[in-house]
Amino acid sequence: MNQVKIEESLFGKLPDKQIVKKYTMTNKNGFSVSLISYGASIQSVLTKDKAGKMVNIALGFETIEEYLSNPYIGSTIGRVSNRIARSRFELNGNVYHLEKNEGGNTLHGRPKGLAMKNWASAIVDNHVKFSYVSADGEGGFPGEVWFDAWFKLEENENTLSIEYKAITDKPTPVNMTNHFYFNLNGRDSTDRIYNHLIKINSDKYLELNTDNTVSGNCKQVDQSKYDLRDFTLLAERISIDADWPENGFDNYFLGNNNSSDLALSVLASVKNPSNGIMFELKSNQPGLYFYTGNFLDISTSHGSHFKKHHGFCLEAHNYPDSLNHKQFP
């Protein structure tokens, strides 16, 4: 018998009276993950530190109103993650123009992408399943797409598995991820992520244009702040570009696993020496986007203030803007 307990509750209501559901999964170790149907989002992650104290390491909110005002916090991202330059792409000889939401570009799937949808949800066996149907032409993308996001908590290990599925009735791009923010000191800690040690298994990263779209060029990490192949203190690397307006990481790293069999590999690891909490990201995707919350500035209803560098994101997905760079997979 599976010993993962899953509880369903009411999280809140949207302005149009749609009910937003909350699901809390807890395994035999006491490790717990809460999800909400709005954005198919991770709302909290409770784990024990080395002293046995429960710590919520996921940035999240206690009210639906805060999620409406602060998109992407813990949410499922799509149809296409990251930036599509000039909000356009060509597919099978047709040029598609998308809704813009970051200057002249499209970020994370359009102004009302998957992160801003209230997904249908249900407990299915030992999973929580979220589903959403995106209409043909929504946001400018072709094809009707049936999206599923499956979340599963392992019984004996403190492991959360996320699996995405998309079925479409015509050729269309799909590149999904989850935009969690973690702070291994704790969501409500006044300490930011500077004391975290990070390791990213990557020899190369993608060069950026001034608007944070990718240029199409791959660069070696050697002798640069992007060389994170051994555990590195974040404070030291973030301070390198303290005069840069963004000041932090906002970059796509290419994974070193060249296998094409969709096997899971470790893309990144993060640990907090202060309390012993460690996080490891495994994925079948070719790389990840590393973001250090460079623009966070949110006062929450539960009394915390998510400041700059209060959380980190490790978003596993395909190369950004691959639609406009034919050399990308």
Side-chain angles (χ1 to χ4, degrees):
M1 180 179 175
N2 188 281
Q3 296 188 37
V4 174
K5 182 180 179 181
I6 305 179
E7 298 176 291
E8 177 184 320
S9 59
L10 172 66
F11 184 74
K13 290 185 179 181
L14 296 175
D16 64 1
K17 307 304 181 183
Q18 286 188 61
I19 291 176
V20 177
K21 295 181 180 180
K22 178 178 177 177
Y23 298 88
T24 299
M25 304 183 291
T26 308
N27 71 7
K28 61 188 300 184
N29 302 323
F31 181 72
S32 177
V33 176
S34 291
L35 314 163
I36 62 170
S37 58
Y38 185 77
S41 303
I42 296 173
Q43 190 252 348
S44 71
V45 176
L46 286 167
T47 189
K48 293 179 182 178
D49 65 11
K50 62 184 179 183
K53 177 185 175 182
M54 297 301 295
V55 180
N56 179 10
I57 62 170
L59 273 60
F61 306 112
E62 301 301 323
T63 69
I64 187 57
E65 290 77 16
E66 291 171 286
Y67 281 96
L68 295 175
S69 302
N70 301 283
Y72 311 136
I73 303 290
S75 300
T76 296
I77 302 299
R79 293 185 182 189
V80 176
S81 303
N82 213 268
R83 295 169 178 87
I84 299 176
R86 296 172 294 151
S87 298
R88 65 176 298 282
F89 66 92
E90 183 177 342
L91 182 63
N92 295 337
N94 297 311
V95 177
Y96 296 93
H97 297 275
L98 309 174
E99 296 179 1
K100 300 175 182 179
N101 64 331
E102 190 188 59
N105 306 315
T106 298
L107 174 65
H108 292 329
R110 60 185 280 270
K112 294 293 183 181
L114 299 183
M116 281 76 93
K117 302 297 182 183
N118 191 32
W119 295 50
S121 57
I123 300 171
V124 181
D125 298 324
N126 57 344
H127 297 72
V128 176
K129 177 185 177 184
F130 296 102
S131 301
Y132 174 73
V133 179
S134 178
D136 185 8
E138 187 172 59
F141 291 98
E144 184 175 75
V145 184
W146 294 263
F147 289 103
D148 287 335
W150 296 79
F151 291 77
K152 179 185 178 182
L153 195 63
E154 296 299 323
E155 180 178 358
N156 299 306
E157 300 177 359
N158 296 345
T159 300
L160 174 68
S161 300
I162 306 174
E163 183 176 344
Y164 298 122
K165 182 178 181 180
I167 301 174
T168 181
D169 58 0
K170 66 174 67 170
T172 192
V174 173
N175 187 15
M176 302 172 69
T177 193
N178 184 275
H179 204 295
F180 65 79
Y181 283 86
F182 284 173
N183 182 333
L184 303 189
N185 297 303
R187 179 193 73 170
D188 301 327
S189 173
T190 56
D191 293 325
R192 305 187 214 186
I193 59 174
Y194 302 131
N195 65 338
H196 291 25
L197 299 173
I198 187 165
K199 178 180 179 181
I200 297 180
N201 299 317
S202 172
D203 297 329
K204 299 178 182 179
Y205 68 99
L206 295 183
E207 182 183 61
L208 294 178
N209 298 313
T210 56
D211 62 354
N212 277 355
T213 58
V214 294
S215 70
N217 297 323
C218 297
K219 303 190 73 173
Q220 297 287 335
V221 302
D222 301 277
Q223 297 181 332
S224 75
K225 82 165 195 175
Y226 304 101
D227 189 352
L228 303 171
R229 290 173 291 188
D230 293 316
F231 278 107
T232 304
L233 184 65
L234 269 178
E236 295 177 355
R237 292 302 168 88
I238 289 176
S239 67
I240 289 175
D241 56 8
D243 295 330
W244 179 45
E246 187 161 349
N247 179 214
F249 287 90
D250 195 349
N251 304 92
Y252 187 83
F253 290 80
L254 284 61
N256 287 339
N257 182 10
N258 297 317
S259 174
S260 60
D261 61 1
L262 297 181
L264 294 177
S265 64
V266 178
L267 293 180
S269 304
V270 186
K271 58 185 179 182
N272 180 357
S274 300
N275 62 12
I277 295 177
M278 181 172 179
F279 166 74
E280 184 176 78
L281 177 70
K282 294 181 180 180
S283 178
N284 62 4
Q285 295 300 292
L288 61 82
Y289 210 90
F290 177 38
Y291 177 57
T292 48
N294 307 329
F295 297 105
L296 282 175
D297 185 12
I298 304 170
S299 294
T300 70
S301 65
H302 58 267
S304 295
H305 187 184
F306 300 157
K307 298 180 181 180
K308 182 177 184 175
H309 302 151
H310 194 79
F312 68 87
C313 306
L314 290 167
E315 307 160 42
H317 57 70
N318 196 23
Y319 288 38
D321 203 22
S322 59
L323 297 164
N324 292 311
H325 296 279
K326 303 305 180 186
Q327 73 274 29
F328 290 173

